[in-house]
Amino acid sequence: MKTAFRRVGRVLAACALAAATTLVGLTVTTGAAQADGCYNWGRTLVQGSTGEDVRQLQIRIAGYPGYNSQIGLDGVFGPATRAALIRFQQAYGLSADGAAGPQTFSKLYALQDDDCTPINFTYAELNRCNSTWAGGAVAASTARFNALVSMWKLQAMRHALGDVSIQISSGFRSVACNNAVGGTSNSRHLYGDGVDMVGSPSFCRMAQQARYHGFGNILGPGYPGHSDHTHVGATGGWYASSCGI
């Protein structure tokens, strides 16, 4: 979590960013104010925009695709990205116009730490196996990135549940770590996007809510070996029969 000093600094920086905004046709460019230690957007993004700044936006709104959907992280601002952005804006009481400008970026700056993780989750929580992210089914850099996307999905889910704490019991696993806990050979944990959640809300409540936040894999009560936790991942189907899923 950020210290109070960092929070004040970001608020002031975000205000400076908004104040430096100038209109150039349909694109908004910004001044050189440093708004965040992770990533700074320099223009308003609308449907039809392309580039790395769009991809960075997509990562952070990946948890708002709607029921049983996912958005691409391809740097192309299409209809699905616009719809996800509107849901994000609505979730935080912003002007829901489907355009990412200073107001949206200020909220994103407030929601993330300087390592690009959302404020309520950390890389350490998503990897209790090793410090390198190596040894899984994908390259270490890919596993770490997949975990980052999962964290942003979890941040959206957490907010939808009333900003409750979500306790993570397992995230990335190398093959060795996965074998040690009896994980399946195709476990999403090996890819970095698998996450096991325990505690409260109830396992079924978490499984049911996860359907709206970009998780293609949901395993919970009613699925073998998942009576004591809820699992989410990028792909693999939904199986939680005791929860109506």
Side-chain angles (χ1 to χ4, degrees):
M1 298 291 290
K2 303 184 185 75
T3 63
F5 178 81
R6 285 179 64 198
R7 288 183 183 276
V8 171
R10 288 213 184 156
V11 169
L12 292 175
C15 290
L17 177 68
T21 299
T22 57
L23 290 174
V24 180
L26 295 178
T27 300
V28 177
T29 58
T30 60
Q34 183 74 14
D36 192 79
C38 168
Y39 187 84
N40 291 288
W41 286 271
R43 58 171 178 159
T44 289
L45 303 176
V46 297
Q47 189 167 327
S49 298
T50 61
E52 176 62 17
D53 49 1
V54 174
R55 192 180 78 94
Q56 291 293 331
L57 172 67
Q58 289 170 328
I59 291 168
R60 289 155 182 77
I61 62 172
Y64 291 91
Y67 181 84
N68 195 18
S69 298
Q70 294 177 307
I71 64 170
L73 307 179
D74 55 5
V76 178
F77 196 133
T81 296
R82 184 176 186 275
L85 176 58
I86 288 174
R87 293 187 188 95
F88 170 83
Q89 292 170 329
Q90 291 171 333
Y92 285 98
L94 307 179
S95 178
D97 57 5
Q103 186 183 45
T104 296
F105 298 142
S106 290
K107 174 53 66 176
L108 290 174
Y109 295 144
L111 285 174
Q112 71 181 14
D113 280 316
D114 285 346
D115 63 354
C116 302
T117 60
I119 56 176
N120 295 113
F121 298 94
T122 67
Y123 281 117
E125 288 179 282
L126 268 289
N127 183 359
R128 294 186 172 96
C129 173
N130 59 42
S131 61
T132 63
W133 298 85
V138 293
S141 59
T142 300
R144 192 173 189 269
F145 174 77
N146 291 344
L148 175 65
V149 176
S150 285
M151 281 188 269
W152 279 103
K153 292 178 181 180
L154 290 171
Q155 186 72 26
M157 179 174 155
R158 182 186 191 277
H159 185 59
L161 288 169
D163 291 314
V164 298
S165 296
I166 292 178
Q167 183 179 347
I168 296 172
S169 61
S170 182
F172 167 75
R173 300 174 192 159
S174 67
V175 172
C177 289
N178 192 57
N179 290 342
V181 298
T184 61
S185 61
N186 63 342
S187 171
R188 295 310 306 178
H189 293 281
L190 295 166
Y191 295 83
D193 56 73
V195 181
D196 290 348
M197 300 173 288
V198 296
S200 60
S202 71
F203 302 143
C204 278
R205 183 72 186 92
M206 289 189 286
Q208 291 161 350
Q209 188 62 49
R211 296 174 296 178
Y212 298 89
H213 300 290
F215 293 109
N217 185 209
I218 304 172
L219 306 177
Y223 186 78
H226 289 73
S227 61
D228 60 351
H229 69 282
T230 294
H231 164 92
V232 292
T235 62
W238 298 352
Y239 306 98
S241 58
S242 296
C243 307
I245 299 175

